[in-house]
Each structure stands twice: as C-alpha cells, then as structure tokens.
Amino acid sequence: MILLKSAALVALAAAAAPATAQMVRPQDPQTLVQALQQGGYAAQLAVDDTGDPMIRGMVGGTRYQLLFYNCTDHKECATIQFHVGYHLKTPVTLAALNEWNRSQRFGSAYLDKENDPILEMDVDLDDGGVSQLLFIDNVEFWTSAVQRFEKSIGYSN
Amino acid sequence: MSAFLLFLAAAAATTPTTQDKVKEAQTLADFDKPVPPGKVSVANPRSIVALLQKEGYRAKFIAEPGKRPRIESAANGANFDIYLQNCKDNRDCQDVMFSASYNKRKEDPVTIEKMNEYNRDNRWARGYIDKDGDPVIEYDVLFTNQVVDEKAFSEAVAIWSDVQAAFHKIIGF
C-alpha cells in the first residue's frame, strides 16, 4: 500500500514538473530518491549513524549506501558519496586494489581497517543542485563501476 | 650524416605540409564549439582555460596529434593536467579528469599502503602507484552533453586544489 502510494506520488511529480525544472538537490534528499526511482533504480530514504540522511540503493542484487556530506543540522547537505563494502572469504590484496585504481575511472577503492574492500564515488551536487540527466549519468557510472569492481574482487551474490 | 638527417627532420618539423595545416585547422575547429552562457564546455577547452585563469591558475590548452587533449595547469606548487576524456580519435570528448603524477623518490618511495591510507581517509579522488612506481592522483568530473555550469566547475577546481594538497601531505611532497 505504502509502495503504491509513493509510486503514485512519483508519477504525479513526473507529470507535474517538466524534466528540465526538476533539479536533484542534496538539500532535499527526496529529489535524489525520486530521480533514482524514475531512472529505474530502487532507492529508500534512511538516516545514517551520525543522524544525516542516507539513501539505501540497490545495484544488481548488491545493496549500497548513498551518504550525504557537508550537512548543517543533518539537513542542507551539499555533497554525496556512493559507498559499497564487501566482506569476503578470500581477502583482496592492496596490489589488486592499486591496479583497480590505476586502470579505472570514477570512484576509488581501498581496504578499510577490517581489511574489507570498499568502493566509493563522490559527487558534488552544487548549491542549486544538478539536472536529473547529470545525476543519472553519475548513477550509471557508479552502477557500472560496482559491477566491474565485483568481478575484479571475485564477489558474486 | 646524422647531422644532415637531423637537419632534414628539423626542416620537416618547421615546414608543415598543406595536409598538416588542414588537419590542425580541423583540430582547432573541433575544439571551438559554441559555449552556452554560464557554462564551460569540453568541446571548447578555451572556456575551461578562461575559468581557470579567472580563478588565478595558469592554464594552457594542448592538443598534440595522437595524444589525449589536455589543459596544463598548476596548484599547490605542482603541475597538474586536466585531460579531456571519453574522446573519439582524441576529439569530441565528453568529460574531464584532473591528474597529477610525481616522480618516484629514490629513497623511501611511496608505498601502496600509503595510497590505501590516502584513499581510505580522503574523498573525491583516487591515488595509486603507476607502473614506474610514481604516485598518481586522479579526480573525475562528469559533464552533460559536453557542458557543465561554470559554478560547478569552479567548485570542482576548488575540490581538486584541496585533493592535491592532501595528496602532497601523504606523499611528502
């Protein structure tokens, strides 16, 4: 029921606003959720450990987080970061991640303090926000990076 | 004999053929597309050069045959390049990548562990050690239909300046 309702709202928003006027603004996380859903990606608004907004997204069966940064009072955020981490049985080496960073564009990879491989991509959404087109371009680069990263670290879900 | 060959090579380099001239004119035309107001364009790198210069950076566009077109600039006391990316035949590019690389130190070269630390603790860019052992830092900026707002690109330049400064700390530049 709730799903139906939000789908209807998205449809309404799409009908009401011309594509050019609908900016994706980090100050209004719901605009990111809507842009993702309209672009054909699953997305749910949530709150991270620090109280800032976050979006739970999904790509090819993998859950990732879209984190908000440069926020004031957990609102009015200015930049975002796509973030995904993996817990693997076979550890990934630093040499393999260095090779990834050397040969790939968009995003960076590293081992976190638990030696889990992480892939991140930061995007500056500017004061006035960005067009849906540019935002979805970024999402597509992210989606493709995640899929290639999973291949390179030998992860399958 | 070799001096004579060198002379010939120099003569060839200084007297471009008509074909070269046509090619050069074409290349320049490829990078001279109209720029919408308030935007910078990868199809007109002079718009990017002008913005960098306005922000106080030195900047020069370079399109050499067979090489990725780039803008040479500098910040934090070190050179960097803005490569035009996703090009077809080094033309018709779609977005850009800021990049700086540093010569490998003979003593105590920068390790991949250090690069991992950089990537873990810093946003925006990726650091790595290239095949020659040189540390490299790269930062991608997407354009839409070859353009991006001037203001957004100004912010990207400011982010890059911070990125490069943080990288210098890690590699001890």
Side-chain angles (χ1 to χ4, degrees):
Chain A
M1 182 56 188
I2 292 165
L3 270 177
L4 277 176
K5 204 165 146 189
S6 61
L9 278 176
V10 167
L12 256 180
T20 48
Q22 183 80 7
M23 297 296 275
V24 176
R25 301 173 61 247
Q27 294 84 356
D28 182 1
Q30 197 59 42
T31 59
L32 275 75
V33 172
Q34 284 176 6
L36 281 161
Q37 291 177 348
Q38 282 178 24
Y41 300 94
Q44 271 183 322
L45 194 57
V47 177
D48 74 11
D49 296 342
T50 68
D52 287 339
M54 68 172 277
I55 292 171
R56 295 183 203 283
M58 184 83 109
V59 40
T62 299
R63 287 179 187 282
Y64 70 86
Q65 292 82 45
L66 212 168
L67 305 169
F68 288 73
Y69 281 83
N70 310 97
C71 308
T72 307
D73 296 332
H74 308 300
K75 288 181 295 196
E76 298 300 314
C77 313
T79 68
I80 58 166
Q81 179 184 66
F82 294 86
H83 175 106
V84 67
Y86 299 88
H87 193 67
L88 300 175
K89 283 181 188 141
T90 316
V92 179
T93 62
L94 283 182
L97 292 187
N98 188 67
E99 175 57 21
W100 167 271
N101 287 322
R102 191 186 66 75
S103 59
Q104 305 289 324
R105 293 188 63 209
F106 294 98
S108 69
Y110 61 87
L111 290 182
D112 71 4
K113 288 181 176 170
E114 282 82 47
N115 275 326
D116 292 333
I118 309 288
L119 184 68
E120 285 178 357
M121 184 178 107
D122 292 282
V123 180
D124 179 17
L125 293 180
D126 205 21
D127 292 345
V130 299
S131 67
Q132 287 207 15
L133 190 59
L134 181 55
F135 181 69
I136 291 298
D137 269 357
N138 274 288
V139 173
E140 282 170 1
F141 271 101
W142 168 249
T143 304
S144 136
V146 168
Q147 288 166 347
R148 280 177 289 118
F149 189 64
E150 290 182 352
K151 256 190 197 165
S152 101
I153 63 171
Y155 174 85
S156 61
N157 50 22
Chain B
M1 179 62 182
S2 62
F4 179 63
L5 280 178
L6 269 177
F7 169 75
L8 273 184
T14 50
T15 38
T17 62
T18 311
Q19 203 183 357
D20 284 342
K21 280 181 188 164
V22 168
K23 208 168 182 182
E24 195 185 335
Q26 275 172 350
T27 304
L28 289 177
D30 283 332
F31 291 114
D32 205 16
K33 302 276 161 66
V35 185
K39 308 271 186 188
V40 296
S41 167
V42 276
N44 190 331
R46 279 185 305 174
S47 64
I48 300 175
V49 166
L51 188 142
L52 283 163
Q53 289 173 343
K54 202 176 79 183
E55 305 265 330
Y57 297 88
R58 67 172 159 80
K60 189 180 175 190
F61 175 59
I62 295 171
E64 291 168 335
K67 282 192 180 174
R68 271 191 300 176
R70 68 185 192 277
I71 292 160
E72 285 185 353
S73 185
N76 300 293
N79 294 334
F80 70 84
D81 293 304
I82 301 175
Y83 288 103
L84 276 48
Q85 295 282 140
N86 286 329
C87 312
K88 289 183 197 104
D89 199 18
N90 292 316
R91 287 176 291 179
D92 200 19
C93 311
Q94 301 300 318
D95 54 73
V96 304
M97 179 174 80
F98 290 69
S99 172
S101 73
Y102 301 82
N103 289 330
K104 181 186 177 180
R105 281 198 304 261
K106 284 187 183 126
E107 303 283 324
D108 188 26
V110 180
T111 60
I112 55 174
E113 284 78 10
K114 271 279 178 202
M115 290 295 98
N116 192 65
E117 192 186 319
Y118 174 85
N119 290 323
R120 192 189 65 208
D121 297 343
N122 293 278
R123 299 179 59 201
W124 304 108
R126 73 192 150 266
Y128 62 86
I129 304 294
D130 76 6
K131 287 183 171 168
D132 300 322
D134 301 336
V136 179
I137 179 80
E138 291 175 350
Y139 165 50
D140 299 293
V141 179
L142 263 183
F143 286 46
T144 302
N145 299 326
Q146 297 185 300
V147 300
V148 74
D149 288 347
E150 273 181 352
K151 197 161 161 289
F153 198 77
S154 275
E155 278 190 27
V157 172
I159 287 171
W160 166 256
S161 177
D162 291 348
V163 157
Q164 197 189 25
F167 195 67
H168 283 178
K169 273 189 193 156
I170 281 275
I171 65 170
F173 176 84

